[in-house]
């Protein structure tokens, strides 16, 4: 699917096209006012969606509910049409739902190589297949190849985020959730990471939901932008439209 | 000089038993962040089963297998049916439950077997072998040494060279990330308890022939020494457990040999105090990772 087609579909995303990831009537919250209040969202296969909004808007909670770390009060999560709401985090991961959580997302006591092998554990059975996939990742992420024997806690912030992304991609997931991958990274590193992400999405048909504060960078690689505020979607449009809407940017994105 | 060689060799065998037990504490600490105060009592239960097996069948080797299997079962039962139900937000409840378990197990053993020490024979002679005129170590010491080293190597291979080991290490240090990668973390914690408990059972089985015999409290001193070692080496460090175990074993044997048995516990406590003063985190403690 071309970027234009994806963008066109984004506008009619509540239609009947099969969604790779769907969130239906989702309500999440521990007590009192819900953090996410009746959210509907459908991501067609291969679409890269930037999830935008201020701190506390509900971006992280949405991602954690989709991956299963948080149980919703009501509503459904569907992966490729299949209702996974009642399944565990581990099961969703094995079905091809990958998440790169914010911050501490690598195993710091393991080496770069071991972290990458962990990523391929379920979806690449056999040591040989994993080894090959790991070596392939070293070609995409050259800085990691030089540090393959280093422990996670010896890596710089940029290298850690690179490793987290490589580990998520190695399993050839169907859906990838990323939470603030640009946080604390130099702009040059962000550009590099996002270029790899865009490339992976185009080559493998990966569906991406990217929560970001770095609105400009996120929209530059996204097909579609979804803006959330107080647990509800307030705007859902092709990325370039969101980027060009000064009122929207001023009201919800803070610049 | 001859006496020194003998004490060093027997100290090494004794030290490896302490090292094994300390290693078992490290395995549980890494898997579940719990100092298992019930480890000695749980291992003693497994060794009572081994004692029953050796009495019925006369085979030490079947008893060894029984100790390993029972150790695993006890570890499984304690983790699944007890520890898993304990609140994890602070370490105190887990510790109290473990101490309660020690009391229950000691009482049950006491009711079933009474307070006497039941003798357990070593599978090999405990008379020292001679190299020339120098007494070195007994065949049993040699057996202890080889078996303990074998277990250490097997554990190192399991943790560092297998997929299960990789999952165990990841689950122990980063549970949430591990779940996101598809690892069944609660299962890994159970496997950690089973491994740990089996290793402790073997350590106690190896210890008994060198002590008065088997009794509910036979492994209590071993636990104290191993706990000292685990703290010395840093609870997170398998290498620390092994090096520390051997060091404490040799220290105890040397002090007992040259200064008398009464001085040995004092020497161990002096070593503990000294290390805690100089390196409170333990000698082999990994430096805390800096935040990115």
């Amino acid at each position: 699917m071309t970027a234009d087609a994806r963008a066109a579909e984004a506008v009619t995303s509540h239609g009947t096209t099969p969604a790779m990831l769907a969130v239906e009537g989702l309500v999440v919250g521990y007590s009192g006012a819900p953090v996410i209040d009746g959210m509907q969202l459908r991501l067609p296969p291969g679409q890269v969606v930037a999830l935008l909004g201020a701190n506390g808007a509900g971006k992280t909670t949405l991602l954690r509910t989709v991956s299963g770390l948080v149980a919703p009060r009501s509503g459904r999560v569907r992966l490729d049409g299949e209702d996974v709401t009642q399944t565990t985090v581990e099961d969703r991961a094995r079905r091809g739902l990958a998440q790169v959580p914010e911050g501490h997302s690598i195993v710091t006591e393991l080496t770069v190589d071991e972290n990458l092998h962990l990523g391929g554990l379920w979806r690449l059975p056999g040591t040989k297949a994993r080894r090959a996939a790991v070596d392939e990742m070293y070609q995409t992420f050259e800085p990691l190849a030089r540090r393959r024997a280093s422990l996670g806690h010896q890596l710089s912030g940029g290298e850690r985020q690179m490793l987290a992304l490589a580990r998520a991609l190695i399993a050839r997931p169907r859906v990838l959730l990323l939470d603030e991958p640009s946080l604390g990274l130099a702009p040059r590193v962000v550009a590099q990471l996002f270029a790899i992400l865009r490339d992976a999405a185009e080559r493998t048909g990966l569906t991406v939901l990217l929560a970001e504060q770095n609105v400009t960078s996120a929209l530059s690689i996204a097909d579609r932008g979804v803006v959330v505020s107080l647990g509800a979607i307030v705007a859902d449009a092709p990325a370039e439209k969101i980027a060009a809407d000064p009122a929207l940017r001023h009201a919800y994105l803070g610049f | 000089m001859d006496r020194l060689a003998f004490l060093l060799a027997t100290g090494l065998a004794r030290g490896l038993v302490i090292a094994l037990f300390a290693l078992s504490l490290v395995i549980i600490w890494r898997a579940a962040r719990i100092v298992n105060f019930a480890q000695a009592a749980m291992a003693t239960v497994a060794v009572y089963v081994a004692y029953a097996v050796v009495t019925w069948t006369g085979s030490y080797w079947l008893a060894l297998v029984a100790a390993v299997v029972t150790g695993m079962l006890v570890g499984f039962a304690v983790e699944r049916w007890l520890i898993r139900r304990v609140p994890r937000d602070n370490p105190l409840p887990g510790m109290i439950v473990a101490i309660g378990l020690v009391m229950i197990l000691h009482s049950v053993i006491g009711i079933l077997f009474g307070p006497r020490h039941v003798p357990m024979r070593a599978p090999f002679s405990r008379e020292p072998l001679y190299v020339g005129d120098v007494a070195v170590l007994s065949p049993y010491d040699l057996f202890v040494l080889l078996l303990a080293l074998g277990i250490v190597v097997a554990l190192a291979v399991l943790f560092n060279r297998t997929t299960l080991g990789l999952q165990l290490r990841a689950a122990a240090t980063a549970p949430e990330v591990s779940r996101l990668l598809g690892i069944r973390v609660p299962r890994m914690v159970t496997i950690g308890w089973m491994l740990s408990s089996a290793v402790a059972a073997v350590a106690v089985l190896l210890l008994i022939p060198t002590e008065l015999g088997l009794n509910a409290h036979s492994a209590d001193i071993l636990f104290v020494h191993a706990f000292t070692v685990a703290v010395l080496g840093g609870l997170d460090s398998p290498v620390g457990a092994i090096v520390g175990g051997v060091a404490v074993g040799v220290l105890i044997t040397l002090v007992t040999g040259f200064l008398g048995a009464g001085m040995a516990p004092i020497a161990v406590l002096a070593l503990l105090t000294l290390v805690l003063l100089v390196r409170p985190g333990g000698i082999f403690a990994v430096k805390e990772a800096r935040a990115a």
Side-chain angles (χ1 to χ4, degrees):
Chain A
M1 196 188 307
T2 66
D4 282 343
R6 272 196 290 264
E9 192 170 58
V11 184
T12 58
S13 65
H14 296 293
T16 52
T17 38
M20 181 51 79
L21 178 70
V23 159
E24 299 169 354
L26 201 67
V27 181
V28 189
Y30 310 96
S31 59
V35 184
I36 288 176
D37 198 358
M39 195 179 281
Q40 308 278 351
L41 185 62
R42 291 167 59 85
L43 273 63
Q47 195 172 58
V48 176
V49 176
L51 183 64
L52 310 170
N55 270 327
K59 302 189 300 290
T60 296
T61 304
L62 174 62
L63 295 190
R64 291 174 70 85
T65 310
V66 169
S67 64
L69 288 169
V70 172
R73 246 196 261 174
S74 61
R76 269 182 241 286
V77 176
R78 285 184 194 278
L79 181 61
D80 201 9
E82 198 179 355
D83 185 349
V84 294
T85 319
Q86 300 302 323
T87 62
T88 61
V89 180
E90 301 90 302
D91 281 330
R92 291 183 212 190
R94 292 178 187 202
R95 286 174 206 220
L97 178 66
Q99 183 181 8
V100 177
E102 187 185 330
H104 309 282
S105 52
I106 61 165
V107 187
T108 52
E109 298 206 350
L110 300 183
T111 64
V112 168
D113 212 53
E114 287 170 333
N115 266 283
L116 289 175
H117 275 273
L118 270 183
L121 223 47
W122 303 110
R123 302 184 45 86
L124 301 171
T127 329
K128 267 192 186 158
R130 278 200 294 277
R131 182 74 261 167
V134 169
D135 288 338
E136 200 178 309
M137 273 304 148
Y138 285 141
Q139 286 174 9
T140 312
F141 297 88
E142 278 167 8
L144 291 183
R146 290 193 294 273
R147 310 222 53 179
R148 62 178 78 196
S150 302
L151 291 172
H153 63 74
Q154 297 170 323
L155 302 184
S156 71
E159 287 168 336
R160 285 178 195 220
Q161 204 54 260
M162 208 174 268
L163 177 56
L165 181 59
R167 191 186 57 197
L169 291 176
I170 209 166
R172 297 191 201 288
R174 294 190 283 175
V175 174
L176 175 59
L177 312 171
L178 295 126
D179 197 355
E180 302 276 353
S182 78
L183 199 69
L185 302 185
R188 189 180 50 83
V189 181
V190 174
Q192 199 183 352
L193 275 180
F194 279 18
I196 291 171
L197 185 61
R198 179 75 235 182
D199 180 58
E202 261 158 30
R203 276 189 302 115
T204 64
L206 176 68
T207 307
V208 179
L209 186 55
L210 167 67
E212 260 300 347
Q213 297 277 354
N214 188 339
V215 175
T216 314
S217 294
L219 286 175
S220 72
I221 62 153
D223 301 307
R224 170 184 166 198
V226 170
V227 183
V228 289
S229 176
L230 302 173
I233 293 173
V234 292
D236 183 346
E240 52 277 17
K241 277 208 175 133
I242 302 263
D245 187 336
L248 195 63
R249 287 167 47 156
H250 187 71
Y252 299 107
L253 307 175
F255 71 100
Chain B
M1 245 357 257
D2 298 357
R3 188 167 164 73
L4 183 64
F6 176 72
L7 289 174
L8 282 177
T10 45
L12 188 62
R14 178 184 208 142
L16 275 166
V17 172
I18 298 172
L20 271 189
F21 203 93
L23 197 55
S24 82
L25 292 174
V26 169
I27 293 172
I28 281 199
W29 172 259
R30 288 177 65 107
R33 294 284 163 219
I34 282 178
V35 177
N36 183 22
F37 283 98
Q39 191 85 331
M42 287 163 62
T44 305
V45 169
V47 175
Y48 265 99
V49 173
Y51 168 70
V53 169
V54 78
T55 310
W56 287 333
T57 66
S59 164
Y60 181 84
W61 308 109
L62 280 181
L64 180 60
V65 172
V68 171
V69 172
T70 317
M72 284 186 170
L73 292 177
V74 172
F76 178 90
V78 169
E79 196 277 321
R80 276 291 161 95
W81 298 325
L82 200 62
I83 298 297
R84 190 168 282 197
R85 291 157 203 271
V86 175
R88 221 85 65 83
D89 41 4
N90 90 60
L92 213 51
M95 241 183 261
I96 305 276
V97 166
I99 292 170
L101 181 62
V102 172
M103 293 175 176
I104 292 169
L105 293 178
H106 279 171
S107 308
V108 170
I109 293 173
I111 290 166
L112 292 178
F113 299 95
R116 73 200 168 91
H117 287 265
V118 294
M120 239 181 130
R121 284 207 11 244
F124 299 100
S125 163
R126 297 204 52 229
E127 290 302 313
L129 293 169
Y130 286 84
V131 175
D133 288 339
V134 183
V136 188
L137 78 178
S138 72
Y140 182 66
D141 286 335
L142 191 62
F143 165 69
V144 168
L145 229 132
L146 291 177
L147 184 61
L149 282 177
I151 292 172
V152 167
V153 170
L155 286 173
V157 170
L158 172 71
F159 276 97
N160 295 311
R161 292 272 178 272
T162 69
T163 311
L164 176 64
L166 187 58
Q167 292 180 66
L168 284 166
R169 286 187 293 150
T173 53
E176 190 176 288
V177 173
S178 298
R179 294 188 70 199
L180 289 170
L181 295 174
I183 297 170
R184 302 201 192 284
V185 173
R187 185 176 296 175
M188 293 304 132
V189 172
T190 308
I191 292 174
W193 273 81
M194 292 171 73
L195 274 175
S196 160
S197 181
V199 170
V202 172
V204 173
L205 184 71
L206 291 176
L207 171 80
I208 297 302
T210 65
E211 299 287 316
L212 286 173
L214 184 57
N215 168 278
H217 297 279
S218 299
D220 290 1
I221 295 297
L222 178 62
F223 175 80
V224 173
H225 288 160
F227 181 62
T228 305
V229 163
V231 174
L232 288 182
L235 272 167
D236 254 322
S237 166
V239 176
I242 294 160
V243 174
V246 170
V248 168
V250 170
L251 177 74
I252 291 171
T253 315
L254 288 180
V255 171
T256 306
F258 288 118
L259 302 174
M263 289 301 288
I266 297 171
V268 172
L269 287 178
L271 180 65
L272 177 64
T273 311
L274 189 72
V275 172
L276 288 184
L277 279 174
V278 181
R279 288 208 59 172
I283 296 172
F284 292 88
V286 182
K287 285 202 190 78
E288 279 298 306
R290 276 181 307 166

